[in-house]
């Protein structure tokens, strides 16, 4: 909306063209910050009313595959969930107000946010209204891949129009791996994996939200750099013409998640549920692929990756060798079983997330 208004004023737009080095025609840096602030304020304003509405309809039922874990988290029973509904609303509001809605990258990103939020809401509804623990794994995974594939097709169109090669860029050495016809499946895989990784991390008050704020801010920076001709050349990262607009949407997502964290800190007033976790994780991974930084995302989102790998390793070791390497997966539950306080676990994971993000940006200077 703001972009449309500015584009109606020719002299102002000419001035923007003169001072902005190829990343956006209408003050990308300012709009990126404004989108985050708008989404944050929107989440704070929506939060109390949304939580009251959710409390009357959707309350958390602690029912996992571990009786011990259920007992440890028994005090969380009855907490309102599906807080991702007002978080996603804040994200879309911030993105719509400050983003360039004619930009194909933004269109694809908003599709990912909305569609994954809808899938997460369906999963939450099944979990809360039936005896099942959500959608069946196969159903959920198929839906994630299907939605991510649609987003990948939209992304491929955007990259083709921007003249950007659909290669996998290696973080060091300036090398790349061509994807060819595998681009859409690759993006779908990364997007679905990112979505699930954030969802697996959402198990303690403030854990996923806090790590999401750090990782979201980092990917926002990567998107801005990729869309900025001068900085992209200076840091030897792929320049994605128009891709910088994703920084606005990512900033809105980060601001919305920060607003959600206001209510999600221990003891949590609300949980995000799959509605928020799937949508944020999907957008985070999708945006990294859009600016050709999906491999660097492994480091940026190091905490989410570690949580996902802990589940894969736990299941794999048990099925193959008959033992479990950690007390309980995902990884944060291992520390819960070991008697660490929830606050200590969460803050230390936040610190780990910040270190990973800093390391990722430091690696840009090694190229």
């Amino acid at each position: 909306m703001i972009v449309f208004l500015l584009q109606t004023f020719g002299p102002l737009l000419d001035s923007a063209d003169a001072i902005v080095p190829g990343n956006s025609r209408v003050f990308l840096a300012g709009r990126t910050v404004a989108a985050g602030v708008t989404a944050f304020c929107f989440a704070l304003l929506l939060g109390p009313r949304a939580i009251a509405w959710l409390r009357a309809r959707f309350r958390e039922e602690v029912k996992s595959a571990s009786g011990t874990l259920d007992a440890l988290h028994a005090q969380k029973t009855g907490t309102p969930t599906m807080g991702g509904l007002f978080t996603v609303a804040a994200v879309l509001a911030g993105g719509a107000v400050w983003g360039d809605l004619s930009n194909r990258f933004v269109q694809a990103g908003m599709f990912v946010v909305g569609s994954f939020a809808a899938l997460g809401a369906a999963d939450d509804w099944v979990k809360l209204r039936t005896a099942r623990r959500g959608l069946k794994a196969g159903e959920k995974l198929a839906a994630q891949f299907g939605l991510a594939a649609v987003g990948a097709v939209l992304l491929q169109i955007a990259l083709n129009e921007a003249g950007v090669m659909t290669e996998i860029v290696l973080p060091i050495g300036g090398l790349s791996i061509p994807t060819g016809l595998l681009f859409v499946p690759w993006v779908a895989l990364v997007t679905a994996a990112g979505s699930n990784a954030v969802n697996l991390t959402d198990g303690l008050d403030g854990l996923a939200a806090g790590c999401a704020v750090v990782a979201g801010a980092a990917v926002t920076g990567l998107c801005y750099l990729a869309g900025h001709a001068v900085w992209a050349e200076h840091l030897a990262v792929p320049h994605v013409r128009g891709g910088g607009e994703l920084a606005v949407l990512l900033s809105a997502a980060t601001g919305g998640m920060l607003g959600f964290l206001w209510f999600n800190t221990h003891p949590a007033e609300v949980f995000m549920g799959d509605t928020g976790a799937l949508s944020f994780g999907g957008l985070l991974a999708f945006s990294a692929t859009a600016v050709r930084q999906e491999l660097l995302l492994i480091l940026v989102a190091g905490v989410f990756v570690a949580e996902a790998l802990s589940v894969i390793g736990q299941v794999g070791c048990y099925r193959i060798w008959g033992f479990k390497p950690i007390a309980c997966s995902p990884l944060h539950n291992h520390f819960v079983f070991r008697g660490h306080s929830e606050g200590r676990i969460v803050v230390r994971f936040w610190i780990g997330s910040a270190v990973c993000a800093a390391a990722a940006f430091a690696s840009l200077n090694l190229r």
Side-chain angles (χ1 to χ4, degrees), residues 226-237:
H228 195 296
V230 175
W231 279 109
E233 181 180 4
H234 176 70
L235 294 171
V237 299

Side-chain angles (χ1 to χ4, degrees), residues 142-210:
Q144 287 176 303
F145 269 95
L147 296 173
V150 174
V153 171
L154 296 175
L155 175 59
Q156 187 168 38
I157 294 172
L159 290 173
N160 288 341
E161 291 181 354
V164 178
M165 298 295 291
T166 55
E167 304 171 323
I168 300 173
V169 179
L170 301 181
I172 299 177
L175 302 175
S176 60
I177 303 172
T179 56
L181 296 177
L182 296 178
F183 177 75
V184 170
W186 167 249
V187 174
L189 174 64
V190 174
T191 303
S195 177
N196 284 316
V198 173
N199 194 31
L200 290 170
T201 307
D202 184 28
L204 299 178
D205 296 352
L207 176 58

Side-chain angles (χ1 to χ4, degrees), residues 9-255:
F9 298 96
L12 179 58
L13 186 57
D14 291 339
S15 174
D17 281 337
I19 63 175
V20 180
N23 59 336
S24 169
R25 299 190 71 191
V26 279
F27 310 113
L28 180 61
R31 289 189 293 112
T32 298
V33 174
V37 173
T38 299
F40 172 72
C41 293
F42 209 88
L44 287 186
L45 291 173
L46 279 178
R49 290 180 178 273
I51 292 171
W53 185 83
L54 292 169
R55 184 178 292 112
R57 293 165 177 81
F58 303 107
R59 289 173 173 263
E60 182 73 13
E61 296 181 17
V62 177
K63 48 180 182 180
S64 70
S66 169
T68 302
L69 188 62
D70 289 348
L72 290 170
H73 287 169
Q75 75 279 5
K76 299 181 185 295
T77 299
T79 303
T81 188
M82 292 182 71
L85 288 174
F86 75 85
T87 308
V88 170
V91 172
L92 294 177
V97 171
W98 296 103
D100 182 357
L101 299 183
S102 66
N103 181 282
R104 291 197 182 275
F105 293 100
V106 174
Q107 293 169 0
M110 292 190 111
F111 168 79
V112 170
V113 171
S115 61
F116 273 73
L119 174 61
D123 191 38
D124 286 333
W125 190 90
V126 171
K127 191 183 304 180
L128 295 168
R129 289 290 185 264
T130 71
R132 296 164 56 186
R133 292 200 296 269
L135 297 172
K136 293 181 179 178
E139 296 172 344
K140 186 174 176 181
L141 195 58
Q144 287 176 303
F145 269 95
L147 296 173
V150 174
V153 171
L154 296 175
L155 175 59
Q156 187 168 38
I157 294 172
L159 290 173
N160 288 341
E161 291 181 354
V164 178
M165 298 295 291
T166 55
E167 304 171 323
I168 300 173
V169 179
L170 301 181
I172 299 177
L175 302 175
S176 60
I177 303 172
T179 56
L181 296 177
L182 296 178
F183 177 75
V184 170
W186 167 249
V187 174
L189 174 64
V190 174
T191 303
S195 177
N196 284 316
V198 173
N199 194 31
L200 290 170
T201 307
D202 184 28
L204 299 178
D205 296 352
L207 176 58
C211 293
V213 169
V214 176
V219 177
T220 298
L222 291 176
C223 289
Y224 180 83
L225 294 175
H228 195 296
V230 175
W231 279 109
E233 181 180 4
H234 176 70
L235 294 171
V237 299
H239 172 48
V240 182
R241 183 169 53 87
E245 286 294 332
L246 273 174
V248 178
L249 186 58
L250 253 296
S251 178
T254 304

